[in-house]
Amino acid sequence: MYFLTGWPRRLLCPLKSAEEPFHIQPSYQRIFFAVLSETQLSIWFSRPSVLIVSYIESVKAAARFGHYQQSEWRPDDSMIAVVASKGYILLFDVVGGGDDKYLYEPVYPKGSHRVKVNPGYKEEQCAPVLSLEMKRPVDLEAPITSLQSLPEDLVVATADGYLHILHWDGVSNGHKAISLCTVPFSLDLQSSRAGGPCLDLDGVHIRDIEYCVTLDGFAVVFDDGRLGFITPTASRFTTDQLQGVWAADVTDGTCVAVNNKYRLMAFGCTSGSVLVYMVETTTGSMQLSHKLELTPKHYPDVWNKTGPVKMIRWSPDYSVAMVTWECGGLSLWSVFGAQLICTLGEDFAYRSDGTKKEPLKISSMCWGAEGYHLWVTGRSEDVPEDMDSPVTLKQSGILQFQFIRSALTVNPCTSNQEQVLLHGEDRLYLTWGDTTQAQSVPDAPSPKDKSPHHRPASLPATPPDLSQGLGTLLGHKHWHVVQIHSTYLESNWPIRFAAIDSAGQCMAIAGRRGFAHYSLYTRKWKLFGNITQEQNLTLTGGLAWWNDFIVIACYNFIDQQEELRLYPRSSNLDNAFASTTRLHADTLLLNVFRNMVVLFRADCSICLYSITMKPDSSTPSPCVELLQEVSMSRYIPHPGLVVSVTLTSVRTETGITLKTPQQVCLAESIMLNIAGQLIMLQRDRSGPQVREKDPVLSQKKLLPFGSPVVLAQCVEIVWTTCRSSRKKRHLLEALWLWCGEAGMKVWLPLFPRDHRKPQSFLSRRIMLPFHINIYPLAVLFEDALVLGATNETVLYDGVGGGGGGPQLVSEPLEAIFPFCTVERTSHIYLHHILRQLLVRNLGEQALMLAQSCAGLPYFPHVLELMVHVVLEEEATSREPIPDPLLPTVAKFITEFPFFLQTIVHCARKTEYALWNYLFAAVGNPKDLFEECLMAQDLDTAASYLIILQNMEAPAVSRQHATLLFNTALEQGKWDLCRHMIRFLKAIGSGEAETPPTTPTTQEPAQPSSAGGFEFFRHRSISLSQSADSIAAAKFNLQKTFSMPSGPSTKGAERWSKDADCAENMYIDMMLWRHARHLLEQVRLRELGCFSAQLGFELIGWLCRERTRVARVDDFVTALKRLHSDFLWPFPVIPACALNSPLKNGRCRSVLSTHLLKSQSADSLLNTNMESALPAVSSNHSWLDGLGAGPKEMDSASSHGAPVPQEAFLSPLINKVDECSIGSATDLTETSSMVDGDWTMVDENFTTLCLSQSELEHISMELANKGPHKSQVQLRYLLHIFMEAGCLEWCVIIGLILRDSGIIKQVVGFLESPDVLPETITNIRSGLLAVDTWASSDCLGYKPFLKLIQPQLQKLLESAEESVNPESFQPASVTKLLEPANPRVEERGGAVPLGLSLALEASGAGSLEGRPEEEQKQQSPEEGAYDCTLS
């Protein structure tokens, strides 16, 4: 509602004085401020805030009258009454200096358009010259305690128990005195007439008094602390025509302030709380409405330590009250008790170093014009005066706190209730983000947007779908700040009204005269072109938006006539474009509903007007027509009490019993907020309803309104919407109320399910209260959200605390006060409504409402909040709960699919002590865990494991964890598997709070880490640099190559460290069992993922299982399974293959090498990944890991590290972006790349020429390749199986890759005496079976089988030789690797195990037969490309 902003300003008095100001009093228009010190009266101007005149009492007069105490302005600002301490009233005339004399005038540069003279320009822009002339003093012969100004009289209370009524002009009748003893006081007016108990006021006088216009009486505080209300029985005060009521049981009153708009009296008490009373209309008694008091919950340090209430000041619009105490501090409250600001806590009370600040002690305060400023005078501590010390002259200071407020406080129009609009004295704050963020705004305006009569096509007249733009409304906490145009502000300050249109893109403001509007599309203001037109109208009833028109209720000074005007947004701001309708009475409030305008007038009548567009006019011209007039004078005691008037479609029948469904969305009722009491007038359908045949006449003949019904009390703001939706009828047809400290209320419609007839006992609507922790300013109906704002503070550390002396002058303001900002907030309210419905046994309605909102992104959070709030309340209750709600809530949320997640999330955010109560209501966590497993929701099941670990024995936790672990392994949820390994180890070690780390996380390389880790790390870097798309696939290669797979990794040391631990063995057994299961089913891809993701020692395990599950019994089935598993196409044989010249060995190898270089992205990825393997292999990085020392490993890995990052800089990268990554079967893209690269081949081999059949053969080779990612994975598995000695699998992978080098390598291994005879026999029979299958089912394999015919023949010859099985130990393999230490580019001579495969496969083996020059020419490129495998 009201929010502090920035730091307060300090206004220094230019006159130095030894006296401190202690009292400040505003004039009725709040343009002038009277400031008192002991012998000085000063008049300050509001804008600019400057001193105009100061009257200093002479020493002789000061000795006669005494020092000044308080002051009061005459309502027309022409006189000031000042109270002197010796019982005198000093009356001063405020005399103007003439029209041409000004104290301060603005100076503008030459040529400025502002120099033009216009009516009213000088008075508003310049501080006028004033003078003070004292009239004769009035001696009342008793100390004066309080005074109050009336339009013609001045009421003065004195310490001798009298009320004095003085005339301002001081002539007629002198003055009148009324003794309090003659005024009858009772508890209510009825008992007063009946001669009931009266208050004895002998010796009692009035301490504070204030007049309430709308109650027509005085609120008084007596010196004994009792509270009363004095009202005259006639229009004039005489001795026998006053009567009073007093409040029972209150004896500690200190001060009073009345609220004229809401008919409230706020009494400050010595306890520090404020009691707010209302006068009961029937009996006239004083009834306590609510209290304004700090609670120990929020302010434990200062509760009951504030001292008595010093002063209460209501804002000019009466929507908030500022309270200060004797011990210092300020607090701001809404009219019905919602606390907005308090300076006794947080950054206001503590410095950044934690030391406590002394609260600012305030002697007097008042609100400035329109509530934008609070003027404050502080008071210094009393210090004993030293008679000898000289009097020091200093500048006194006044603090000016700055506020911004909601536009709803003065202009409660409902043209847009989804956006928050705040306005300060010179700027607007709105929640809607930039126009580029709003989904309803086009990126660039179309040509027709520039036409003044066209609205952007995507901006409908109705509000946009706010569910779609929700991110814009809630995305950040920053405001869109619009600076008000300075030209308009200078001549029309202060801003009184502001409104925003339904799309949230256009704003209108109105100040003292005229109005202006702003568009977020153009980021420009529109002002009246004719300044005379602007100055000749003033807004009386506010302003609102209707589609593209601004609707204003204004007073025309030229015609002296009240008018209703509509100005188009797109045209220039001029009366020529306005539609004007004359009104017969002053308008106080205005509102818009669909195509209707509702006005509330000063004669307490309500007028409804319809707005239609004239179809025959070329320019958009609205037609305004009076529809209906409703007199409310019987129900409204004073027109100033009406806070808001709203036209709605809300009815008690909710549209079910209406005969014509189209009438539901029409204006069905009027909502009036009368001094906080919300009443509703519905259309009266009790009479005979005759439907006109002519639909036009039927539309115009509106039903009368019935008698008003009171809906709620203490209402501050009302929200309703004119939109309708079948999906969210509950929320869109509801009425939303904010009731201050009583929280929020919603008047919710109740619908029968499935259009059944409603039960007779079921009400049509129900009022549901709930509390929220923000001050609501807007309601998003479909999104079940409330938007608001809150004050935040920022400490400034640059200034230290000041020393002694008056705080206002000596200490910097930045040190006393934090910098205040206003932040946007939001609150979900749906769980409150659902809970209230369940409490009232309306579960069916709650379910309908919840199902309509189930699509909201935060709906699961709503259910979680509901469970959490109910659980906290019931489980922590000290009293037994006879009818607990938690079982009902639990049953309710089982209707939704995320029931299991809701319960476990709520439990994990709740303390352990409440779990038993929760699961007693929702069910056993073991059963819920099993439900998660059945539903395949493993992540939620893992959360339930945490619950079970705390609530059950370790054996139960281990049992359920094992179930989950196995399921996660089967489904490939590797992250969950890693967590489960940690969990199982933690259970066994008894360190559940700090479970040990496992080898599932990537650790930084350390000097002792093994080279295998480094090898895979570099491969992952190379891959991620050239194939970003692969990382997103299910088989995550980055993770694959980041995990240790060799037995010499650091992970292996950690696993073996606790080898004797039963838990480690238990986990190992499960991992081994799963690996065996995968290998038995030939699921090699999953086995590779499993090994890489979990750091499983696949090589060591395969070594052990080499003769068991790692054997291949059926080569054909395994080969088929690999084809399907890795999406690898079966080879096809081209028609020209039998007579192709490419069978020539040399030509084939050259083509193969260069063809692979030209394979677009495939070749780059291929070389990137595969060249890393032999490069690091030659440095003993993985095969040698079992026996090598740490230093050797480190140097080896660092030596091989740069290779994969240096070898792939090629101009082909520019072509990569244009081609698809992955499968090389796209012949068109690949062929184009081949064509583009033939020039490179021709440069090196000028004698080479290709025929059509040769090109077809090349294309066929590409078509027979699988995706590059699969090739990388197969190469990785080949490396694993080769290290483990599983030669059968090596043969199968060699077959699917059709790499004769692999087959040759394996056959070479088989010659070793260490190979088991069974292995040789198995490979031989397997290859024969593949040959037989290929002959019948897959002829594409026949050319490759013919190619490896020599190796197969050699295998048949050596099948009968016996071998020694120890040849496959790592030491033997290491001997094969030892000669190959140079880098790939420099290699020559013998090649190691892994390297020879790649070299032979890509034709590098034929380098020996080439000329020496050709070898030199080829070697640099071979370093980059020869590792690519076909």
Side-chain angles (χ1 to χ4, degrees), residues 1127-1178:
L1127 304 175
W1128 200 272
F1130 286 97
V1132 291
I1133 186 164
C1136 62
L1138 297 177
N1139 55 3
S1140 171
L1142 293 177
K1143 285 191 283 185
N1144 177 288
R1146 169 179 168 148
C1147 184
R1148 183 180 182 84
S1149 62
V1150 170
L1151 271 179
S1152 186
T1153 301
H1154 284 276
L1155 174 63
L1156 288 167
K1157 281 195 250 181
S1158 64
Q1159 286 179 22
S1160 69
D1162 212 12
S1163 72
L1164 286 172
L1165 288 177
N1166 224 349
T1167 53
N1168 192 354
M1169 290 307 307
E1170 297 310 318
S1171 63
L1173 174 62
V1176 189
S1177 303
S1178 63

Side-chain angles (χ1 to χ4, degrees), residues 1117-1278:
T1117 305
L1119 191 61
K1120 288 180 181 177
R1121 184 62 188 260
L1122 285 190
H1123 272 287
S1124 64
D1125 213 12
F1126 289 91
L1127 304 175
W1128 200 272
F1130 286 97
V1132 291
I1133 186 164
C1136 62
L1138 297 177
N1139 55 3
S1140 171
L1142 293 177
K1143 285 191 283 185
N1144 177 288
R1146 169 179 168 148
C1147 184
R1148 183 180 182 84
S1149 62
V1150 170
L1151 271 179
S1152 186
T1153 301
H1154 284 276
L1155 174 63
L1156 288 167
K1157 281 195 250 181
S1158 64
Q1159 286 179 22
S1160 69
D1162 212 12
S1163 72
L1164 286 172
L1165 288 177
N1166 224 349
T1167 53
N1168 192 354
M1169 290 307 307
E1170 297 310 318
S1171 63
L1173 174 62
V1176 189
S1177 303
S1178 63
N1179 289 316
H1180 304 201
S1181 65
W1182 38 270
L1183 272 179
D1184 216 16
L1186 283 174
K1191 292 180 181 177
E1192 186 181 348
M1193 296 302 101
D1194 214 34
S1195 61
S1197 57
S1198 63
H1199 181 66
V1203 176
Q1205 299 187 42
E1206 292 176 356
F1208 315 119
L1209 300 175
S1210 165
L1212 280 180
I1213 194 68
N1214 295 326
K1215 300 178 183 178
V1216 172
D1217 301 334
E1218 304 166 10
C1219 302
S1220 60
I1221 295 178
S1223 174
T1225 56
D1226 189 345
L1227 296 181
T1228 56
E1229 291 184 2
T1230 311
S1231 301
S1232 67
M1233 297 304 297
V1234 171
D1235 295 342
D1237 278 347
W1238 277 126
T1239 55
M1240 178 174 64
V1241 178
D1242 291 341
E1243 287 172 10
N1244 298 327
F1245 305 98
T1246 53
T1247 59
L1248 185 65
C1249 59
L1250 295 176
S1251 66
Q1252 180 67 28
S1253 61
E1254 292 162 356
L1255 284 173
E1256 286 180 6
H1257 184 90
I1258 294 167
S1259 298
M1260 196 59 65
E1261 275 199 7
L1262 293 176
N1264 289 339
K1265 280 187 61 181
H1268 173 71
K1269 185 175 69 171
S1270 297
Q1271 184 176 353
V1272 172
Q1273 295 167 357
L1274 286 168
R1275 291 284 170 190
Y1276 173 70
L1277 289 171
L1278 172 66

Side-chain angles (χ1 to χ4, degrees), residues 934-1100:
M934 290 172 61
Q936 302 293 309
D937 188 357
L938 303 190
D939 292 327
T940 306
S943 297
Y944 275 105
L945 264 186
I946 309 294
I947 309 292
L948 289 171
Q949 182 192 14
N950 287 278
M951 298 184 70
E952 303 287 345
V956 177
S957 301
R958 184 185 292 108
Q959 177 188 355
H960 287 79
T962 305
L963 275 173
L964 181 59
F965 187 33
N966 286 331
T967 312
L969 284 172
E970 193 60 39
Q971 293 190 9
K973 299 283 186 73
W974 307 120
D975 284 337
L976 182 57
C977 290
R978 285 193 285 270
H979 289 307
M980 294 314 303
I981 291 174
R982 280 187 68 219
F983 187 81
L984 286 166
K985 296 183 81 173
I987 291 177
S989 62
E991 297 170 2
E993 289 76 23
T994 56
T997 54
T998 63
T1000 59
T1001 55
Q1002 210 172 357
E1003 297 191 1
Q1006 303 207 358
S1008 61
S1009 93
F1013 205 99
E1014 290 295 312
F1015 161 63
F1016 289 110
R1017 177 167 307 210
H1018 286 300
R1019 285 189 62 166
S1020 76
I1021 291 171
S1022 302
L1023 178 71
S1024 62
Q1025 286 172 347
S1026 55
D1028 296 334
S1029 62
I1030 295 179
K1034 185 176 179 183
F1035 184 84
N1036 191 330
L1037 288 175
Q1038 176 130 5
K1039 288 186 179 177
T1040 299
F1041 298 134
S1042 301
M1043 297 308 303
S1045 63
S1048 61
T1049 61
K1050 192 171 183 182
E1053 297 173 11
R1054 197 183 306 119
W1055 282 70
S1056 61
K1057 182 175 68 175
D1058 299 327
D1060 55 341
C1061 175
E1063 288 302 326
N1064 284 353
M1065 181 58 68
Y1066 181 66
I1067 296 168
D1068 287 348
M1069 292 292 289
M1070 284 192 284
L1071 294 174
W1072 294 341
R1073 184 173 62 206
H1074 184 67
R1076 190 177 300 116
H1077 175 64
L1078 294 176
L1079 203 52
E1080 283 173 350
Q1081 296 188 351
V1082 200
R1083 290 155 61 183
L1084 287 196
R1085 179 194 284 263
E1086 290 184 39
L1087 183 66
C1089 283
F1090 165 71
S1091 164
Q1093 297 282 357
L1094 299 187
F1096 179 67
E1097 299 178 52
L1098 190 55
I1099 296 176

Side-chain angles (χ1 to χ4, degrees), residues 283-302:
T283 63
S285 62
M286 291 176 66
Q287 288 191 345
L288 181 66
S289 170
H290 56 278
K291 292 183 180 180
L292 313 179
E293 59 182 352
L294 302 179
T295 59
K297 178 181 178 183
H298 295 104
Y299 299 94
D301 296 339
V302 298

Side-chain angles (χ1 to χ4, degrees), residues 404 422-429 481-484 489:
I404 60 176
L422 307 178
H423 53 97
E425 67 167 338
D426 62 350
R427 67 197 64 194
L428 301 173
Y429 299 77
V481 182
V482 177
Q483 195 77 26
I484 295 173
L489 200 61

Side-chain angles (χ1 to χ4, degrees), residues 653 655-664 685 687-689 691:
E653 282 85 357
I656 299 168
T657 58
L658 299 182
K659 296 182 176 64
T660 54
Q662 66 268 19
Q663 290 181 322
V664 176
R685 299 178 185 274
Q689 299 183 37
R691 296 188 64 185

Side-chain angles (χ1 to χ4, degrees), residues 55-67:
Y55 178 91
I56 302 176
E57 195 71 75
S58 65
V59 178
K60 182 179 177 182
R64 176 189 169 194
F65 302 133
H67 58 79

